[in-house]
Amino acid sequence: MEEWQADPTFAMCRALVDGAQLSSFVGGPFDVRAVVAGIRPEAKDGFLLDEVPWEHFPQGDRVREAVHLLHTDGSSVRTGMGVVGGMCADDMRAAAVLAVPFLIRIAADTCHPYRADALAEVSSPARARYFGVASREELLLHRADTGYDDLYDDDGVEVTLYPAGWSVAAARAAITADAALLRPLLDDPEPLIRIAAAYALATATATDLDRAVRTAFRTRLTAERDPMVRAALVLATAEATRTHPHPATTAWIREQWQDPAQAPRVRLAAAIGWLCPKAPGVCGGGVQDVPHGGFGVLGQDVEDLRDRRGKADRVRLCGHRRLPRSSAMSMDSLSS
């Protein structure tokens, strides 16, 4: 038996597979949305990890230990790095969601040596796993068809059979609740922090926060000089706009990719951000309007879009942790 099959939530998942109604578990002890919403502000700020029911969710104890190690910055801190992102890559986000409020607070601590690593993991649970997507319809989405969308509801399931939509919704709600801690990080001296902050804020869900987030992205973009960060801000704006449609912002994104004064990587980000939200066939002419070789010029810059810590040669697009270079850069697929 797999370790996660011994977790209390597995019984719930088996009941769901056997025909139980998902609604019968809403708000209960295994609804991670309710659990995250119930974490007291004092517990978040004071890192009172014992107040959180980690054990209710698959590999929750492992996530708790990772948060503890990162927070205490002890000799074993690196043992805790990458746990949340790794679990999300394995399609196990329920327990990872519980770490989000604490990771945000580590990132907000300007003295913490691993704040960038913590912030990079914040938004991982807020996007459903779906690698290798390059179509216009699916890029910048928080979830795409998993093949199991009719098992419980329309949001699919994780590999543990836990409702995927619950994990994503809980993570996005946690990020929304702490948006006030994340927004100042857009002005952080460290480029990686600014990029990760934008990547996280792009998943904020509150409608009344949408305008503030878009404004924060645009304000930072005005002052930003690093092309990599500028590209991240444009993509984050595009993702937020796809969640909360705003025609004026969509038009602005189109202006960015048509502006030859912008750095190639910024134009590439804007092209993806403008084309992807369109329905198939709507903007095919838009691609034809690009000067001959235009996308080729943008594509040449892809080699420079690499993780600054040298860990990967890839483009990390909002909505997906990674895309194969051959798929992510196939601009023809965006117009098909």
Side-chain angles (χ1 to χ4, degrees), residues 2-332:
E2 297 287 345
E3 180 181 349
W4 56 265
Q5 290 179 320
D7 288 286
T9 47
F10 186 64
M12 180 192 80
C13 296
R14 286 297 301 268
L16 290 170
V17 170
D18 291 340
Q21 293 297 310
L22 186 61
S23 59
S24 64
F25 296 98
V26 170
F30 306 125
D31 182 345
V32 72
R33 301 169 301 176
V35 172
V36 168
I39 302 176
R40 297 185 308 120
E42 295 81 4
K44 299 177 187 177
D45 295 338
F47 282 80
L48 305 180
L49 302 183
D50 289 340
E51 290 195 13
V52 180
W54 308 91
E55 69 280 1
H56 283 191
F57 302 95
Q59 298 197 20
D61 290 340
R62 181 184 175 207
V63 177
R64 183 202 180 282
E65 179 65 11
V67 172
H68 171 70
L69 292 173
L70 281 171
H71 177 235
T72 56
D73 185 24
S75 58
S76 302
V77 64
R78 290 199 170 273
T79 304
M81 292 168 55
V83 169
V84 169
M87 288 183 61
C88 294
D90 290 337
D91 200 20
M92 298 175 66
R93 286 177 296 281
V97 170
L98 302 178
V100 170
F102 303 105
L103 293 174
I104 291 174
R105 282 156 178 77
I106 292 173
D109 180 359
T110 57
C111 296
H112 199 289
Y114 298 105
R115 57 196 297 259
D117 298 279
L119 186 56
E121 304 231 299
V122 164
S123 61
S124 295
R127 297 177 174 92
R129 170 179 175 266
Y130 198 72
F131 297 156
V133 176
S135 70
R136 184 168 63 240
E137 304 95 289
E138 294 165 316
L139 277 171
L140 304 182
L141 286 176
H142 295 108
R143 189 194 67 80
D145 181 13
T146 64
Y148 300 98
D149 283 358
D150 59 351
L151 193 55
Y152 310 149
D153 59 10
D154 292 335
D155 287 323
V157 298
E158 299 178 8
V159 68
T160 61
L161 300 181
Y162 190 82
W166 284 13
S167 297
V168 173
R172 297 180 71 197
I175 289 169
T176 302
D178 284 327
L181 293 176
L182 289 168
R183 271 185 282 177
L185 300 183
L186 292 173
D187 298 317
D188 193 89
E190 172 57 52
L192 283 175
I193 293 288
R194 301 198 296 274
I195 290 173
Y199 193 58
L201 282 167
T203 66
T205 56
T207 302
D208 57 349
L209 184 62
D210 172 53
R211 181 177 178 181
V213 168
R214 284 201 317 270
T215 300
F217 289 161
R218 294 281 291 272
T219 299
R220 179 62 224 174
L221 197 59
T222 300
E224 185 60 60
R225 294 294 175 263
D226 188 314
M228 180 70 81
V229 183
R230 290 180 62 83
L233 287 165
V234 170
L235 273 176
T237 301
E239 182 179 7
T241 302
R242 183 154 198 188
T243 304
H244 305 282
H246 189 255
T249 300
T250 301
W252 172 82
I253 292 171
R254 181 180 186 181
E255 292 172 1
Q256 301 310 298
W257 77 260
Q258 291 181 323
D259 183 359
Q262 296 289 345
R265 67 190 68 185
V266 176
R267 295 183 65 197
L268 177 62
I272 294 170
W274 183 73
L275 291 174
C276 292
K278 303 293 182 179
V282 170
C283 60
V287 176
Q288 296 171 5
D289 292 339
V290 177
H292 179 68
F295 277 139
V297 173
L298 299 181
Q300 291 172 8
D301 198 60
V302 170
E303 296 300 325
D304 296 328
L305 287 172
R306 63 177 68 232
D307 186 310
R308 295 202 174 195
R309 288 165 290 186
K311 292 181 180 177
D313 183 8
R314 66 177 184 262
V315 178
R316 188 170 81 161
L317 298 176
C318 291
H320 304 280
R321 277 194 64 80
R322 67 181 170 218
L323 296 178
R325 192 188 323 165
S326 59
S327 296
M329 292 304 105
S330 176
M331 300 309 295
D332 290 341

